[in-house]
Amino acid sequence: MTSRRALDLSIYLVTDAALCGARGVVSVVADAVDGGVRAVQLRDKTASTDALLRQLDVLASAIDGRAALLVNDRVDVAVAARDRGLPVDGVHLGQGDAAASAARDLLGDDAIIGLTANAPEHLASLRRQARREIDYLGVGVIRPTTTKADHPPALGVDGFARFAAEAELPCVAIGGITLADVAALRRAGAAGVAVVSAICAAPSPRDAAAAFAAAWSAR
């Protein structure tokens, strides 16, 4: 299980079963981690609890400790997976999902807990919470994207920079990010870039991940 102190958010993959297609999520994730992805969020809004647990079991084997493994929204699934001994590192929560404080109580101090945030009221709420509750923020969208139909207005790189400067937590940029955005987002204070379609739908997830990793390292 990934140490919270050693958390690497630089290239962060959010899965999409439809975009992975016939290759399947596990194959895409394994290739992407080979290419340089260092955090993987299993996001599947329609899967049952049992299906998510089976996916986490196989994903954990494919990742083999080389990247953090998180679950989108489902704190109950993360708890059940950890109870089974699966190396699941934590959860990523939306503003409407389980409270971060409740997730921390259930998952313990070693778990990674991320939270979606993109508006001034989210920052105000964060200032009222204990720092132990949240490890990083997912901030976006940066550009309009079809992978999240109900996304808020795009922040752009400048809007992300302003938000990150006030957040007092590591911020991972997400939403419509391309290779051309990576260097600017890192200069804007990003702790990492989260990618969906640019890796899940790529002809070679390994090559796509490697290109993002190289762009990140180039500074």
Side-chain angles (χ1 to χ4, degrees):
M1 194 168 296
T2 301
S3 165
R4 291 175 72 195
R5 290 189 298 273
L7 179 60
D8 183 348
L9 298 165
S10 56
I11 310 299
Y12 186 130
L13 173 63
V14 181
T15 69
D16 185 304
L19 290 172
C20 290
R23 296 174 297 186
V25 169
V26 175
S27 175
V28 168
V29 167
D31 282 352
V33 172
D34 285 346
V37 160
R38 291 298 171 255
V40 175
Q41 180 191 141
L42 175 60
R43 185 168 73 184
D44 191 332
K45 300 289 190 180
T46 63
S48 68
T49 296
D50 286 345
L52 288 170
L53 286 169
R54 288 193 297 271
Q55 285 191 76
L56 287 170
D57 190 3
V58 182
L59 282 173
S61 295
I63 292 171
D64 193 26
R66 296 174 295 157
L69 176 58
L70 299 99
V71 187
N72 177 264
D73 295 357
R74 296 289 302 273
V75 177
D76 61 320
V77 170
V79 171
R82 286 159 73 96
D83 285 347
R84 294 184 183 192
L86 299 180
V88 172
D89 294 287
V91 293
H92 183 89
L93 305 174
Q95 286 289 321
D97 299 325
S101 58
R104 177 64 69 201
D105 289 342
L106 288 167
L107 292 169
D109 287 338
D110 70 316
I112 297 165
I113 296 178
L115 182 70
T116 295
N118 46 46
E121 58 267 29
H122 299 160
L123 287 174
S125 176
L126 285 166
R127 293 188 184 105
R128 295 191 293 269
Q129 298 185 51
R131 287 293 299 269
R132 69 177 282 273
E133 293 174 359
I134 301 164
D135 294 291
Y136 73 92
L137 302 176
V139 180
V141 299
I142 305 306
R143 304 190 188 284
T145 173
T146 59
T147 60
K148 188 173 176 61
D150 59 345
H151 67 69
L155 294 172
V157 175
D158 290 343
F160 174 88
R162 289 191 294 270
F163 191 96
E166 296 186 43
E168 300 180 355
L169 283 166
C171 291
V172 176
I174 187 169
I177 294 169
T178 67
L179 276 174
D181 298 314
V182 174
L185 285 166
R186 188 166 189 185
R187 289 194 298 270
V193 290
V195 181
V196 186
S197 57
I199 290 178
C200 288
S204 169
R206 181 186 286 106
D207 290 348
F212 273 92
W216 181 264
S217 296
R219 303 182 75 92

